[in-house]
Amino acid sequence: MSERTTDRQTAPDGPRVPGGRLVLAATPIGNTDDASPRLRALLAEADVVAAEDTRRLRALAARLGVEVRGRVVSHHEHNEAERSADLLEVVAGGGTVVVVTDAGMPAVSDPGFRVVTAAVAAGLPVTAAPGPSAVLTALALSGLPTDRFCFEGFLPRKAGERARALAELADERRTMVLFEAPHRLADVLDAMVEAFGAQRPAAVCRELTKTYEEVRRGPLADLAAWAHEGQVRGEIVVVVGGADRPAPASTADLVAEVLARADRGERLKDAVAEVATVAGVAKRDLYAAALAARSR
């Protein structure tokens, strides 16, 4: 008789009691009706609910008509590192720990990343109860390309650091999604005009899924002017179109660059190889064109 084996995860100090799990649960970003039935069940059944703000969790549970019977603990950016060990001890013991933030998906510019990393390192089960996301909602409503995008979170608060961060993104071709505080929005849009150009398309999304939801779309310069007209309020997501792909260089321009490098002492074949690689053209064709131009 053969012995049947299974791939079982183990806790740091020994075998894990079956059933334990860490669950990242998304909460509504504005409209309470967006809460999923699974979120309601998890809040009611969890052994521990780790909340970014325990008072907001209690208020959400009350609006959902859910009684949180498990232990509720705070889990925020200032205590996440030390709290993770306690949460994983519950998971290792067979309990269910549900991690929630004030709004949206944990670990996305919110607490959650450290405890997930620790759980993975310990070989403990991690799963998610997906739901509302300000990042994806703003992206979908922006009217900008959604096939490729990146999330940049919050930009640095200091003007110099922010300018350097935006300069690094100036050539990013993917649509960019960022969070921003309302009182800094006008300054951030001004900095984006400086880094990306006045006509770069963008959208400012505020109060998503709430009563006063608003999406402003247009060139960055227009959005910056709007933001300076008065204090913009609410939760803000900024979506910016990616940089245009540069126009391909002409064969004449490439040949001119090759011959200039050759005149400076570089071997013709080496100059052709480097220029062709950067431009994405066939080396053979560029070499033939360079020879023909040289013989004239």
Side-chain angles (χ1 to χ4, degrees), residues 3 9 22 50 59 85 102 112 124 154 182 185 208 232 235 237 239 248 293:
E3 183 177 345
Q9 295 172 307
L22 178 73
D102 293 342
L124 293 171
F154 285 93
L185 179 63
L208 291 172
V232 180
E235 301 288 334
V237 185
V239 187

Side-chain angles (χ1 to χ4, degrees), residues 32 43 53-66 68:
T32 304
L43 292 178
D53 186 319
T54 58
R55 291 170 299 180
R56 291 193 180 189
L57 169 67
R58 298 288 189 189
L60 173 63
R63 294 197 302 273
L64 296 177
V66 172
V68 180

Side-chain angles (χ1 to χ4, degrees), residues 127-152:
T127 188
S133 165
V135 175
L136 296 180
T137 302
L139 178 67
L141 294 178
S142 69
L144 295 169
T146 60
D147 53 336
R148 298 180 69 237
F149 70 94
C150 61
F151 174 59
E152 292 295 325

Side-chain angles (χ1 to χ4, degrees), residues 7-271:
D7 182 15
R8 296 183 61 185
Q9 295 172 307
T10 59
D13 298 322
R16 174 180 62 83
V17 177
R21 58 180 177 156
L22 178 73
V23 186
L24 304 181
T27 54
I29 60 175
N31 193 322
T32 304
D33 289 340
D34 292 336
S36 68
R38 190 174 174 202
L39 173 65
R40 289 178 164 87
L42 285 167
L43 292 178
E45 299 166 3
D47 298 288
V48 176
V49 178
E52 184 177 10
D53 186 319
T54 58
R55 291 170 299 180
R56 291 193 180 189
L57 169 67
R58 298 288 189 189
L60 173 63
R63 294 197 302 273
L64 296 177
V66 172
E67 179 185 356
V68 180
R69 292 187 287 268
R71 183 162 53 97
V72 176
V73 299
S74 64
H75 179 252
H76 46 72
E77 61 176 328
H78 301 298
N79 73 353
E80 184 177 6
E82 60 189 63
R83 180 72 75 187
S84 294
D86 296 335
L87 298 179
L88 296 188
E89 186 176 343
V90 175
V91 176
T96 295
V97 173
V98 174
V99 177
V100 295
T101 60
D102 293 342
M105 194 70 194
V108 181
S109 276
D110 274 326
F113 171 74
R114 290 186 179 89
V115 70
V116 169
T117 301
V120 170
L124 293 171
V126 182
T127 188
S133 165
V135 175
L136 296 180
T137 302
L139 178 67
L141 294 178
S142 69
L144 295 169
T146 60
D147 53 336
R148 298 180 69 237
F149 70 94
C150 61
F151 174 59
E152 292 295 325
F154 285 93
L155 290 169
R157 296 183 181 184
K158 294 182 179 179
E161 295 176 5
R162 182 169 60 220
R164 286 190 289 274
L166 289 172
E168 292 177 0
L169 294 171
D171 295 327
E172 173 60 64
R173 293 190 181 126
R174 295 171 294 179
T175 300
M176 294 167 279
V177 184
L178 307 96
F179 289 161
E180 195 46 76
H183 63 278
R184 289 196 296 268
L185 179 63
D187 290 340
V188 165
L189 291 173
D190 284 343
M192 286 182 173
V193 169
E194 183 70 23
F196 302 154
Q199 297 305 308
R200 181 76 72 91
V204 175
C205 309
R206 74 176 193 92
E207 295 293 87
L208 291 172
T209 78
K210 300 177 184 177
T211 301
Y212 298 105
E213 175 181 288
E214 180 180 18
V215 180
R216 290 264 180 171
R217 306 174 183 87
L220 279 170
D222 292 356
L223 294 176
W226 163 72
H228 278 288
E229 290 175 359
Q231 176 65 56
V232 180
R233 301 183 183 279
E235 301 288 334
I236 303 292
V237 185
V238 180
V239 187
V240 184
D244 290 332
R245 191 175 293 274
S250 67
T251 301
D253 289 338
L254 297 178
V255 167
E257 182 178 351
V258 168
L259 295 181
R261 294 173 72 146
D263 290 343
R264 293 194 296 268
E266 192 172 344
R267 289 180 58 207
L268 186 65
K269 285 188 175 181
D270 293 339

